[in-house]
Amino acid sequence: MNLLLFGAPGTGKGTQALALVSHFQLHHISTGDLFRQASHTQSALGLKVTSYINKGRLVPDSLVIDLMRGRLKEFQKKKEDPGSADQIKKKEAGKGFVLDGFPRTLAQARALDLLLEELGQSLNHVFYLKVDEALLLERLTGRRVAQKSGRVYHIQFNPPEKAGYCDESGEKLIHRKDDRAETIKTRLQAYFRETAPLVGYYKNKGLLVSVDGRPEAKEVFLQIKKILLSSGL
Ligand code: AMP
């Protein structure tokens, strides 16, 4: 089962991806996480992408596509050779992947199609998380994240038990640089200009499933789970 989570920043893609990963044993591929990690360790890729991320701008397609080509090929290798020792756990590779934050442009979507064809894979569903803009702004400005565990909190809607610290790992929560008000505007503009056209792209392919992203995360996950179970996946 290969899934894609699609929607504006703040629609809850990361949270739903984590729920899908743990419920259906899928492998999570988040370009945002990979770029942040690269930026943090100041790898060659990190040096190229940091300023885009911090300004809320999209990373150029060629860099994103190269990164994804590598990740999907690695995933495929593991799937075909579960005995080999690499980062992707055998269990996760066996059941498919969840793409989160990729593709974000039409060029990326077309590149993904070619790549999946090359690998003999396909997408089963594209979940489009819908949330109105006012709520997105509220969610993004109050969002706090735990880098190691990947957990996402909100100072008002989903606070941790101990303010400022992750319930799962105990690590200190961070306020992402690109979740500050001035950068959020740029990110939303990039979404509406570059990413929103993908709704039509995946609708034409018969893959798009709209999900109401406004309720609490648990309720959104129930909607997604129901769709997956009713489609027999
Ligand atoms: P996210 O965590 O998905 O919101 O991504 C954080 C940032 O990483 C974005 O604002 C972009 O700067 C960059 N990024 C992540 N995924 C992509 C992508 N598919 N295409 C271009 N830039 C991306």
Side-chain angles (χ1 to χ4, degrees):
M1 167 160 80
N2 296 328
L3 307 174
L4 198 160
L5 287 170
F6 170 81
T11 44
K13 298 185 296 292
T15 305
Q16 295 306 321
L18 288 186
L20 283 164
V21 164
S22 78
H23 196 86
F24 294 103
Q25 287 86 49
L26 299 172
H27 178 60
H28 183 199
I29 306 179
S30 154
T31 40
D33 285 352
L34 292 170
F35 286 138
R36 270 186 295 279
Q37 214 174 354
S39 169
H40 193 64
T41 56
Q42 298 203 307
S43 66
L45 176 68
L47 294 175
K48 288 185 197 152
V49 302
T50 302
S51 75
Y52 291 99
I53 299 175
N54 289 346
K55 288 183 192 145
R57 293 174 52 201
L58 291 185
V59 170
D61 284 340
S62 58
L63 289 177
V64 186
I65 293 166
D66 279 354
L67 174 79
M68 284 306 291
R69 182 174 292 119
R71 294 306 290 205
L72 285 171
K73 284 195 169 163
E74 203 181 315
F75 169 81
Q76 184 74 5
K77 201 171 125 203
K78 185 69 190 174
K79 201 172 155 77
E80 285 166 0
D81 179 15
S84 77
D86 63 28
Q87 313 168 10
I88 303 170
K89 289 183 213 126
K90 176 179 168 183
K91 203 172 78 181
E92 291 171 343
K95 302 215 174 158
F97 57 73
V98 185
L99 299 183
D100 155 15
F102 174 87
R104 259 172 153 107
T105 64
L106 277 171
Q108 292 179 20
R110 293 191 186 111
L112 175 64
D113 284 347
L114 291 177
L115 191 55
L116 290 177
E117 201 181 311
E118 205 182 297
L119 298 173
Q121 297 271 346
S122 57
L123 293 173
N124 299 99
H125 291 295
V126 173
F127 288 107
Y128 172 34
L129 301 179
K130 290 173 85 171
V131 174
D132 41 278
E133 207 176 328
L135 183 56
L136 288 179
L137 285 172
E138 226 172 36
R139 281 191 179 175
L140 288 167
T141 44
R143 180 158 80 172
R144 299 292 182 270
V145 298
Q147 270 175 316
K148 278 187 218 128
S149 70
R151 292 273 298 264
V152 180
Y153 298 87
H154 189 281
I155 47 175
Q156 186 188 345
F157 305 138
N158 178 29
E161 274 167 34
K162 183 177 169 203
Y165 293 88
C166 177
D167 296 341
E168 190 181 310
S169 61
E171 72 194 282
K172 204 164 180 337
L173 301 180
I174 62 157
H175 187 190
R176 277 169 45 177
K177 265 194 192 143
D178 60 342
D179 278 347
R180 295 175 200 263
E182 59 285 6
T183 318
I184 289 173
K185 216 173 128 206
T186 314
R187 290 170 69 201
L188 289 176
Q189 275 168 354
Y191 171 78
F192 288 112
R193 196 179 52 237
E194 308 276 354
T195 314
L198 296 187
V199 171
Y201 185 83
Y202 285 114
K203 204 183 250 176
N204 286 340
K205 287 180 172 284
L207 289 173
L208 197 82
V209 187
S210 293
V211 173
D212 181 0
R214 291 170 304 173
E216 262 188 45
K218 275 187 196 144
E219 219 174 293
V220 176
F221 185 60
L222 282 180
Q223 290 182 59
I224 294 178
K225 206 165 80 176
K226 213 162 132 192
I227 294 160
L228 287 175
L229 296 177
S230 68
S231 70
L233 287 173

XYZ file of all heavy atoms in Angstrom, residues 9 13 30-33 35-36 52-53 56-61 64 100-104 108 143 176 178 187, ligand 1:
249
model
N 0.587 23.564 4.158
C 1.291 23.455 5.442
C 0.284 23.656 6.572
O -0.567 24.548 6.493
C 2.286 24.628 5.413
C 2.378 25.059 3.994
C 1.105 24.656 3.312
N -0.414 16.806 7.794
C 0.163 15.690 7.030
C 1.130 14.862 7.884
O 1.066 13.640 7.889
C 0.929 16.203 5.793
C 0.065 16.954 4.796
C 0.861 17.325 3.556
C 2.018 18.280 3.796
N 1.613 19.644 4.194
N 9.339 11.835 4.371
C 8.958 13.245 4.440
C 10.126 14.082 3.914
O 11.207 14.079 4.512
C 8.651 13.618 5.891
O 8.871 15.002 6.107
N 9.910 14.769 2.803
C 11.003 15.592 2.258
C 11.356 16.712 3.237
O 12.528 17.053 3.399
C 10.625 16.173 0.877
O 9.262 16.568 0.900
C 10.875 15.188 -0.227
N 10.344 17.273 3.920
C 10.609 18.336 4.888
C 11.557 17.842 5.978
O 12.544 18.504 6.319
N 11.277 16.636 6.526
C 12.139 16.072 7.581
C 13.541 15.827 7.039
O 14.537 16.098 7.719
C 11.578 14.734 8.095
C 10.367 14.931 9.007
O 10.074 16.087 9.358
O 9.711 13.919 9.334
N 15.069 17.315 4.572
C 15.775 18.587 4.367
C 16.197 19.209 5.694
O 17.297 19.751 5.816
C 14.907 19.585 3.579
C 14.787 19.259 2.121
C 13.575 19.378 1.457
C 15.892 18.845 1.389
C 13.471 19.076 0.111
C 15.796 18.535 0.040
C 14.574 18.655 -0.607
N 15.325 19.141 6.692
C 15.672 19.722 8.000
C 16.852 18.993 8.623
O 17.762 19.599 9.173
C 14.471 19.684 8.958
C 13.597 20.938 8.863
C 12.523 20.924 9.918
N 11.588 19.845 9.700
C 10.582 19.898 8.843
N 10.372 20.970 8.130
N 9.768 18.859 8.682
N 16.425 28.189 1.628
C 15.055 28.035 1.083
C 14.092 27.708 2.223
O 13.028 28.300 2.327
C 14.987 26.889 0.060
C 15.724 27.173 -1.225
C 16.999 26.680 -1.447
C 15.127 27.942 -2.226
C 17.671 26.929 -2.631
C 15.798 28.199 -3.418
C 17.064 27.689 -3.610
O 17.728 27.944 -4.776
N 14.487 26.750 3.044
C 13.592 26.315 4.124
C 13.313 27.462 5.085
O 12.165 27.738 5.434
C 14.213 25.133 4.909
C 14.430 23.952 3.977
C 13.335 24.718 6.072
C 15.134 22.797 4.628
N 10.931 29.883 3.813
C 9.595 29.371 3.481
C 9.395 29.183 1.992
O 8.266 29.050 1.521
N 10.522 29.131 1.246
C 10.411 28.953 -0.203
C 10.612 27.485 -0.565
O 11.243 26.734 0.180
C 11.462 29.809 -0.907
C 11.184 31.305 -0.730
C 12.311 32.135 -1.295
N 12.628 31.764 -2.658
C 13.790 32.026 -3.254
N 14.735 32.659 -2.601
N 14.006 31.657 -4.497
N 10.099 27.097 -1.729
C 10.285 25.701 -2.140
C 11.718 25.466 -2.586
O 12.315 26.310 -3.258
C 9.335 25.354 -3.295
C 7.842 25.288 -2.978
C 7.066 24.804 -4.200
C 7.558 24.376 -1.793
N 12.246 24.325 -2.224
C 13.575 23.894 -2.669
C 13.451 23.586 -4.173
O 12.424 23.049 -4.601
C 13.994 22.631 -1.859
C 15.234 21.993 -2.425
C 14.165 22.988 -0.387
N 14.474 23.908 -4.992
C 14.352 23.654 -6.435
C 14.049 22.189 -6.761
O 14.557 21.271 -6.096
C 15.736 24.054 -6.983
C 16.276 25.012 -5.977
C 15.729 24.586 -4.655
N 13.217 22.010 -7.791
C 12.756 20.668 -8.167
C 13.897 19.667 -8.338
O 13.784 18.517 -7.912
C 11.963 20.736 -9.488
C 10.564 21.301 -9.280
O 10.079 21.274 -8.136
O 9.970 21.770 -10.265
N 15.022 18.234 -5.072
C 13.991 17.413 -4.426
C 13.867 16.074 -5.152
O 13.806 15.007 -4.526
C 12.616 18.130 -4.470
C 11.584 17.352 -3.689
C 12.706 19.545 -3.945
N 5.007 12.260 2.333
C 4.470 13.396 3.079
C 5.266 14.647 2.673
O 6.462 14.716 2.922
C 4.592 13.020 4.567
C 4.678 14.177 5.536
O 4.373 15.312 5.154
O 5.056 13.921 6.695
N 4.599 15.567 1.979
C 5.288 16.804 1.563
C 5.946 16.695 0.201
O 6.629 17.623 -0.225
N 5.748 15.617 -0.480
C 6.257 15.415 -1.839
C 5.207 14.634 -2.618
O 4.707 13.649 -2.073
C 7.574 14.631 -1.821
C 8.070 14.262 -3.195
C 8.858 15.145 -3.916
C 7.725 13.033 -3.786
C 9.299 14.811 -5.193
C 8.165 12.714 -5.054
C 8.950 13.591 -5.753
N 4.886 15.008 -3.836
C 5.372 16.136 -4.615
C 4.683 17.443 -4.233
O 3.596 17.434 -3.666
C 5.002 15.733 -6.048
C 3.802 14.859 -5.913
C 3.941 14.141 -4.605
N 5.333 18.551 -4.565
C 4.785 19.877 -4.266
C 4.670 20.739 -5.514
O 4.233 21.875 -5.422
C 5.694 20.590 -3.276
C 5.177 20.545 -1.819
C 6.278 21.101 -0.967
N 5.873 21.711 0.243
C 6.056 21.163 1.453
N 6.558 19.952 1.564
N 5.738 21.833 2.526
N 7.461 17.827 -10.053
C 7.769 16.751 -9.096
C 6.781 15.593 -9.242
O 7.158 14.424 -9.145
C 7.724 17.277 -7.663
C 8.838 18.251 -7.318
C 8.733 18.756 -5.881
O 8.090 18.166 -5.030
N 9.377 19.873 -5.609
N 2.252 25.838 16.481
C 2.826 24.490 16.374
C 4.190 24.407 17.050
O 5.019 25.310 16.934
C 2.960 24.150 14.889
C 3.543 22.795 14.632
C 3.190 22.298 13.275
N 4.010 22.866 12.224
C 3.973 22.448 10.963
N 3.127 21.492 10.612
N 4.744 23.001 10.059
N 9.612 25.806 14.952
C 10.360 25.853 13.694
C 10.472 27.287 13.177
O 9.512 28.041 13.239
C 9.646 24.994 12.635
C 9.978 23.534 12.736
C 9.099 22.665 11.882
N 8.885 23.141 10.521
C 8.188 22.473 9.607
N 7.641 21.302 9.914
N 8.017 22.958 8.410
N 10.482 28.288 10.237
C 9.525 28.576 9.164
C 8.076 28.540 9.650
O 7.154 28.684 8.867
C 9.748 27.646 7.963
C 9.592 26.175 8.283
O 9.638 25.818 9.475
O 9.432 25.379 7.351
N 5.116 30.568 2.714
C 4.853 29.131 2.504
C 3.454 28.905 1.939
O 3.263 28.071 1.058
C 4.987 28.372 3.834
C 6.422 28.298 4.300
C 6.511 27.767 5.707
N 6.158 26.376 5.817
C 5.767 25.798 6.940
N 5.667 26.502 8.050
N 5.482 24.524 6.961
P 7.431 20.629 5.420
O 7.993 20.104 6.673
O 6.859 19.547 4.529
O 6.473 21.763 5.620
O 8.673 21.220 4.575
C 9.493 22.245 5.095
C 10.213 22.968 3.978
O 11.058 22.049 3.248
C 9.321 23.584 2.907
O 8.799 24.846 3.286
C 10.291 23.684 1.731
O 11.215 24.749 1.917
C 11.068 22.375 1.863
N 10.393 21.269 1.130
C 9.891 20.138 1.664
N 9.382 19.347 0.719
C 9.555 19.994 -0.461
C 9.235 19.698 -1.807
N 8.613 18.560 -2.140
N 9.546 20.615 -2.763
C 10.192 21.756 -2.444
N 10.517 22.109 -1.196
C 10.222 21.240 -0.197
